[in-house]
Amino acid sequence: MGIAAYLEGIRLDKLAWSGITEGYRERIRRLALFSPLLDLERMRATDRSGQPIDMKGLGLLTLLFFFEQKLMRQYKTGVKQLALFLKQLTEHVYVLDDELCEQLARTIVQTFRPTSGKKRSYPFYDWEQREESVVEYSLLKAHDFDTRTNTQYYTLDEDGLELLFATKEFYSEFQLSINQLMLRKQLEKGEFVAALKQINEMRIDVETLEERMSRLKHEIQRSIISEETFERYRQLLDDIYSRLTREDEEFKELREFVNDTRERLYARDVHQKEEKTYELVLKIARELESVHYAHSALLDKALSLKNTTLVTAQESLYYTGLHSFNFDQDIMSYIVSAPLPIEAMKGVLHPFLKVEENKYWSPMTIFEEQNIIEEREEKIHPHFLEADNIEYVDPYRTWLKSRYRLLMQHLLEAYQLGRVDTLSSFFDYLDDIGQSYLYEHRSFYDFWLFMHQRSPIQKEMDREEGEALFGEAILLLGTYVLEVEETKTVIQKCERFSIQNMIIAVRER
């Protein structure tokens, strides 16, 4: 009897032991997530002064840094950005330069994500299955690569999120952002039942935020009694609005992701093969849209708090101070009872003096629209031309005509002497006859640009040109035809101007 009872006790103990080993692999996987931090702890790193560096602490702070970047939707985060964060963080603790900070950042990233790109592995003995086993996990993953700067960007992986959730207690205002991250992971894995449950949790988070904002509205109207309190609430509302804006952007991306998933399933005829799965996706889309609508109302409410409630509270604070102000008691009695020097008296009275006003003329007014109106009596009856109707003769235009006529004169003279076949030879001819001043003025180059543009030039063109600048010069051609063709060489006879060389041909028609 005693032996039977002993054996029965052994059998009961074995049954209890089976419950102890249940889920052993999952427990080991959670413990394995901490192994990279332990690897960093075993590293012996020192700063430039020889002081040991807390590598495990920097590793955990690195995960928190990537988590913060993920919440802020800053996905272009790599080794250089992490190095800058570590340098600013340890500025008053360690002596680190840019090179050592980048080396530490690269070491930490490679510890969390090996250079091979494969997941980290953790071998162990599975006491539930009674066999050797291995778990794989990934804290960081590659997110993007910039080919122009050859930069790899990283983001926090699902296991990294799980590690942070196990090591840090997050405030309730971040709970919605965390649920959004978890929902995306569940949708990517196809865990639609869990995703629907996650959306219901997000609905509770939105309702909680709505209650908090209602309490905050009454608190603002009741508690602002000074400028310091007003600034504190203003900063709080700015933070709430920026966080709600980021969450709204994440909701939009989640909605697009769910719609893409639904269209992909419909294209694969899942709505016919697996009706329950497709109906679940449709329900997720509806519930997510409902939560997003409620969250958008929170965004409008936060904006209203910023633009109306807060401003109203500030105005009430101003008028309260204005009504409670007594000039005789607060100013006059203070001046009379405690006579002040002139310098201090000026400071006391300055707020009650008229604001200085000065009139300034801004140079930008010359760009304003100007209405130019000429006042002149209208004469209906026929009349002769008056003195102010005579056409104005521009002396500079007259001078240009004579200059172009002179240039054509010299050109024809050089042709008759056989001295011109190119523009460079015409330059030499002008030097020989002492007329080099002609090519020191822009009119010389305008003349040749026109000749090249209108080549071939002949006398009949003056009908087209009429009284144009080159009309008198073209008339000198008579029965000749002037042809001009440019070459690749450039002539620069004076410092201000240069022109391509040209082949000049004058022939009879």
Side-chain angles (χ1 to χ4, degrees):
M1 185 69 180
I3 296 176
Y6 176 73
L7 293 175
E8 183 66 23
I10 293 177
R11 187 162 55 251
L12 289 174
D13 289 342
K14 287 184 177 179
L15 291 174
W17 294 344
S18 64
I20 291 175
T21 59
E22 183 180 358
Y24 184 79
R25 178 184 178 85
E26 182 62 25
R27 296 179 184 274
I28 288 294
R29 191 189 69 81
R30 295 178 182 274
L31 290 176
L33 298 180
F34 290 87
S35 62
L37 296 177
L38 299 177
D39 292 343
L40 289 173
E41 185 180 19
R42 287 190 289 268
M43 294 182 182
R44 297 292 180 262
T46 58
D47 64 358
R48 295 305 184 192
S49 64
Q51 181 183 357
I53 298 176
D54 178 21
M55 293 297 292
K56 182 177 71 173
L58 294 184
L60 181 58
L61 291 170
T62 296
L63 293 177
L64 292 172
F65 170 71
F66 277 102
F67 177 71
E68 189 69 21
Q69 296 295 97
K70 196 176 187 71
L71 287 179
M72 299 291 290
R73 304 174 63 81
Q74 298 290 338
Y75 296 119
K76 291 189 178 296
T77 307
V79 173
K80 291 185 178 180
Q81 289 76 18
L82 176 59
L84 180 61
F85 164 73
L86 293 178
K87 184 177 181 180
Q88 295 175 351
L89 181 70
T90 61
E91 184 176 3
H92 302 292
V93 181
Y94 300 124
V95 181
L96 303 175
D97 53 18
D98 294 341
E99 182 181 357
L100 184 54
C101 283
E102 187 168 347
Q103 181 181 347
L104 291 175
R106 199 172 300 279
T107 301
I108 294 173
V109 169
Q110 290 177 358
T111 303
F112 290 149
R113 185 182 183 276
T115 54
S116 61
K118 297 181 180 179
K119 293 185 176 182
R120 287 181 61 97
S121 60
Y122 186 84
F124 70 102
Y125 183 79
D126 191 344
W127 287 98
E128 182 180 13
Q129 303 297 329
R130 303 285 179 170
E131 62 182 5
E132 295 288 340
S133 184
V134 176
V135 292
E136 293 183 343
Y137 59 95
S138 173
L139 302 184
L140 289 180
K141 65 179 180 178
H143 182 266
D144 196 4
F145 183 77
D146 190 347
T147 56
R148 185 174 58 85
T149 60
N150 196 26
T151 304
Q152 178 70 61
Y153 298 116
Y154 304 94
T155 187
L156 208 59
D157 207 347
E158 184 179 359
D159 294 325
L161 283 172
E162 186 174 349
L163 174 59
L164 287 182
F165 294 161
T167 58
K168 181 180 179 182
E169 181 180 357
F170 293 95
Y171 295 106
S172 58
E173 57 262 28
F174 291 106
Q175 193 61 44
L176 183 59
S177 298
I178 295 171
N179 285 336
Q180 286 178 331
L181 297 176
M182 298 302 296
L183 176 61
R184 177 176 285 274
K185 292 297 179 184
Q186 290 165 346
L187 291 174
E188 290 175 353
K189 291 183 176 180
E191 300 174 356
F192 299 129
V193 177
L196 189 59
K197 181 180 178 182
Q198 197 76 39
I199 292 177
N200 292 330
E201 293 181 3
M202 292 165 63
R203 184 188 302 278
I204 296 174
D205 295 334
V206 171
E207 293 174 355
T208 304
L209 285 174
E210 185 177 6
E211 294 176 359
R212 288 189 60 201
M213 292 184 66
S214 298
R215 290 197 302 268
L216 183 62
K217 178 179 180 180
H218 298 301
E219 187 178 345
I220 289 174
Q221 295 172 340
R222 184 175 59 251
S223 303
I224 292 186
I225 57 175
S226 65
E227 283 292 333
E228 292 77 10
T229 312
F230 170 77
E231 285 297 325
R232 182 166 58 86
Y233 278 108
R234 186 183 65 80
Q235 184 63 41
L236 177 62
L237 287 176
D238 287 341
D239 295 340
I240 291 175
Y241 185 76
S242 61
R243 188 176 69 251
L244 290 176
T245 303
R246 294 194 300 269
E247 291 171 353
D248 185 68
E249 293 176 359
E250 184 66 29
F251 266 120
K252 292 177 181 178
E253 291 191 5
L254 285 172
R255 184 177 62 182
E256 292 179 2
F257 185 79
V258 171
N259 290 335
D260 292 342
T261 304
R262 182 184 60 188
E263 293 174 0
R264 187 172 62 253
L265 293 177
Y266 187 84
R268 290 161 48 188
D269 295 334
V270 175
H271 63 290
Q272 296 179 354
K273 301 176 183 177
E274 302 178 15
E275 295 183 3
K276 291 184 178 180
T277 302
Y278 190 72
E279 290 176 359
L280 197 58
V281 173
L282 292 179
K283 188 175 182 180
I284 288 174
R286 289 195 301 270
E287 294 296 328
L288 184 62
E289 190 73 28
S290 175
V291 175
H292 185 199
Y293 178 79
H295 186 271
S296 300
L298 283 182
L299 194 62
D300 296 337
K301 194 171 185 178
L303 187 61
S304 175
L305 279 175
K306 286 181 59 179
N307 295 339
T308 58
T309 308
L310 198 61
V311 175
T312 303
Q314 186 184 29
E315 290 178 353
S316 65
L317 177 64
Y318 169 75
Y319 285 110
T320 300
L322 191 63
H323 291 310
S324 63
F325 175 75
N326 188 306
F327 186 85
D328 292 335
Q329 180 180 351
D330 296 336
I331 300 298
M332 289 302 298
S333 62
Y334 178 70
I335 295 176
V336 174
S337 62
L340 301 175
I342 298 299
E343 294 79 6
M345 189 75 73
K346 186 185 299 183
V348 173
L349 296 177
H350 188 271
F352 304 97
L353 301 177
K354 183 180 179 181
V355 179
E356 182 181 1
E357 296 180 358
N358 292 317
K359 292 185 178 181
Y360 293 96
W361 177 79
S362 173
M364 299 301 293
T365 55
I366 63 175
F367 298 108
E368 294 181 357
E369 183 179 357
Q370 301 180 11
N371 295 325
I372 301 176
I373 301 176
E374 181 181 5
E375 296 183 359
R376 178 180 297 178
E377 296 181 0
E378 184 178 1
K379 298 180 180 180
I380 304 176
H381 56 83
H383 61 281
F384 294 102
L385 290 176
E386 298 178 359
D388 59 351
N389 294 116
I390 299 175
E391 183 181 356
Y392 174 71
V393 179
D394 188 354
Y396 179 71
R397 184 181 179 88
T398 305
W399 177 84
L400 275 180
K401 286 183 178 181
S402 62
R403 175 59 62 91
Y404 293 149
R405 184 176 65 250
L406 180 60
L407 287 173
M408 184 64 78
Q409 241 174 5
H410 288 315
L411 176 63
L412 294 176
E413 290 172 1
Y415 166 71
Q416 292 171 357
L417 297 174
R419 294 284 306 276
V420 60
D421 56 352
T422 61
L423 184 56
S424 59
S425 61
F426 186 59
F427 274 104
D428 297 336
Y429 176 74
L430 293 177
D431 290 336
D432 293 342
I433 64 175
Q435 299 292 319
S436 57
Y437 71 92
L438 291 174
Y439 59 72
E440 293 177 356
H441 193 272
R442 177 174 173 173
S443 58
F444 179 86
Y445 302 91
D446 290 339
F447 175 82
W448 285 109
L449 289 176
F450 178 81
M451 295 301 156
H452 174 264
Q453 182 184 10
R454 290 303 188 93
S455 178
I457 309 293
Q458 51 188 345
K459 180 181 176 182
E460 283 73 12
M461 291 182 62
D462 93 294
R463 297 197 193 100
E464 301 174 5
E465 300 299 327
E467 294 298 324
L469 293 173
F470 297 90
E472 296 180 5
I474 295 174
L475 283 174
L476 295 178
L477 284 174
T479 59
Y480 293 114
V481 176
L482 175 62
E483 295 180 351
V484 179
E485 181 181 355
E486 66 178 355
T487 62
K488 294 183 179 180
T489 57
V490 177
I491 306 172
Q492 186 168 5
K493 296 286 287 185
C494 63
E495 184 178 355
R496 292 183 58 194
F497 304 105
S498 62
I499 190 171
Q500 284 184 259
N501 197 8
M502 301 182 184
I503 299 173
I504 302 172
V506 182
R507 58 178 175 83
E508 290 279 352
R509 281 187 290 179

